């Protein structure tokens, strides 16, 4: 905005004096909050271990290299279990997320007053709890194993998939829906021919993207006893078998890279 200098000439400034003061006040508050948080963290940190971390990391690296390549023959089944956990969990989540998404979308829910809030609660509650926590709860209920991992991944994925799907449903072209409705089509026919074809690309993209994420999450579920390659990782860590740990980490990295490549190719073909 223009202001006048001492000689009466116009000078353009980006902000007024009041806006500049408020901006500096905001920075001051941010710095103060950072200082207080740093003091709290520093007080509860054992700095001796922090300064000694490079030596410990070098020692572990020395013990972990080279990887124990002959151990790879025992990782075939665990990595296969991990892929199954991610795939089955994603399929179950998609099966449950589709009706939740239609109930949550404003233009398809039967009731914005009662049903939509319940659907949104399901979306929020399943997304807010990490898959490891779900796995811990399910292991206590149904016991350890791959099945607990599948259900944990499925529950965790419902909210993610349903949220993206209901947003896609709300953003459809309503002209197509109105045209089909004008022909006298029923509510289910309108959904089948006016809404579903429009959200299929989004559905496919969400499915592949979530499967890619679940590959990563399923690799660590074994740390709490939910099956997969994480179980081998936990066992190797418990006995300090560092060459095995390094090999398992390489296998996990390879699986994640391959899943990322597959996901990118499929999404590229869809889009």
């Amino acid at each position: 905005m223009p202001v006048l200098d001492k000689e009466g000439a116009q000078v353009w400034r980006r902000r007024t004096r009041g806006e500049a003061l408020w901006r500096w006040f905001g920075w001051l508050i941010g710095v103060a909050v950072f200082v207080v948080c740093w003091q709290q963290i520093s007080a509860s940190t054992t700095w001796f271990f922090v300064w000694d971390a490079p030596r410990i990391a070098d020692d572990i690296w020395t013990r972990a290299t080279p990887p124990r390549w002959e151990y790879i023959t025992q990782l075939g089944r665990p990595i296969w279990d991990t892929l199954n956990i991610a795939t089955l969990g994603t399929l179950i989540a998609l099966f449950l997320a589709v009706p939740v998404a239609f109930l949550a979308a404003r233009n398809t829910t039967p009731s914005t007053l009662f049903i939509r809030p319940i659907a949104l609660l399901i979306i929020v509650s399943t997304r807010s709890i990490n898959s490891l926590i779900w796995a811990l709860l399910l292991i206590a209920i149904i016991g350890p194993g791959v099945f607990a991992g599948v259900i944990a991944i499925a529950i965790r994925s419902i909210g993610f998939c349903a949220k993206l799907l209901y947003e896609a449903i709300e953003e459809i072209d309503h002209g197509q829906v109105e045209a089909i409705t004008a022909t006298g089509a029923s509510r289910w026919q309108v959904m089948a021919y006016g809404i579903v074809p429009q959200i299929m690309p989004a559905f496919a993209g969400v499915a592949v993207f979530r499967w890619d994420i679940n590959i990563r999450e399923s690799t660590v579920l074994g740390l709490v006893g939910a099956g997969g390659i994480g179980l081998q990782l936990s066992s190797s860590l418990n006995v300090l078998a560092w060459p095995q740990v390094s090999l398992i980490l390489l296998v996990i990295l390879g699986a994640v890279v391959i899943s990322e490549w597959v996901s990118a190719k499929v999404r590229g073909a869809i889009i």
Side-chain angles (χ1 to χ4, degrees):
M1 63 172 296
V3 295
L4 299 179
D5 60 9
K6 294 181 180 179
E7 299 178 357
Q10 280 191 347
V11 178
W12 285 88
R13 293 182 179 176
R14 187 176 180 182
R15 300 179 182 87
T16 64
R17 184 181 300 274
E19 290 173 343
L21 289 175
W22 276 109
R23 185 179 179 84
W24 283 108
F25 180 72
W27 277 104
L28 180 62
I29 295 297
V31 171
V33 171
F34 174 80
V35 170
V36 172
C37 293
W38 179 258
Q39 289 177 344
Q40 295 293 327
I41 294 173
S42 179
S44 58
T45 300
T46 305
W47 289 104
F48 170 77
F49 294 108
V50 176
W51 305 133
D52 197 45
R55 185 188 64 81
I56 299 298
D58 180 68
D59 179 65
I60 292 177
W61 173 261
T62 303
R63 294 171 183 268
T65 53
R68 185 186 171 191
W69 298 108
E70 61 272 15
Y71 187 68
I72 199 169
T73 57
Q74 302 183 38
L75 299 181
R77 181 59 183 270
I79 196 65
W80 177 248
D81 288 341
T82 298
L83 294 175
N84 285 332
I85 290 172
T87 304
L88 293 177
T90 304
L91 292 175
I92 295 172
L94 290 170
F95 180 77
L96 297 175
V98 170
V100 173
F102 275 96
L103 294 175
R106 293 182 183 276
N107 53 337
T108 57
T109 184
S111 172
T112 57
L113 186 61
F114 297 105
I115 297 180
R116 186 171 187 269
I118 296 175
L120 292 177
L121 177 62
I122 294 174
I123 293 174
V124 172
S125 60
T126 53
R127 288 177 65 238
S128 60
I129 302 177
N130 191 272
S131 56
L132 279 174
I133 300 177
W134 282 120
L136 285 170
L137 294 174
L138 290 166
I139 287 172
I141 297 172
I142 62 178
V146 174
F147 184 66
V150 171
I151 303 302
I153 289 293
I155 296 176
R156 167 68 169 168
S157 304
I158 291 173
F160 178 92
C161 298
K163 178 177 173 59
L164 295 181
L165 286 177
Y166 96 74
E167 291 177 349
I169 294 171
E170 292 183 341
E171 295 172 359
I172 62 172
D173 181 10
H174 295 282
Q176 298 184 32
V177 177
E178 293 174 357
I180 295 176
T181 304
T183 63
S186 65
R187 182 183 182 90
W188 292 106
Q189 289 173 326
V190 170
M191 293 179 63
Y193 297 104
I195 298 177
V196 172
Q198 295 191 61
I199 66 170
M200 282 306 295
F203 175 82
V206 168
V208 175
F209 185 45
R210 188 63 214 185
W211 175 78
D212 182 26
I213 295 174
N214 286 341
I215 291 290
R216 294 175 175 84
E217 294 196 356
S218 60
T219 57
V220 298
L221 291 183
L223 295 175
V224 296
I229 197 169
L231 193 59
Q232 258 63 29
L233 179 60
S234 177
S235 300
S236 298
L237 286 171
N238 289 336
V239 297
L240 302 180
W242 296 112
Q244 293 179 191
V245 171
S246 61
L247 178 63
I248 293 171
L249 293 178
L250 287 175
V251 171
I252 291 175
L253 177 62
V256 170
V257 170
I258 293 173
S259 69
E260 178 69 24
W261 180 80
V262 172
S263 175
K265 289 294 184 181
V266 173
R267 289 202 303 268
I270 294 172
I271 297 174

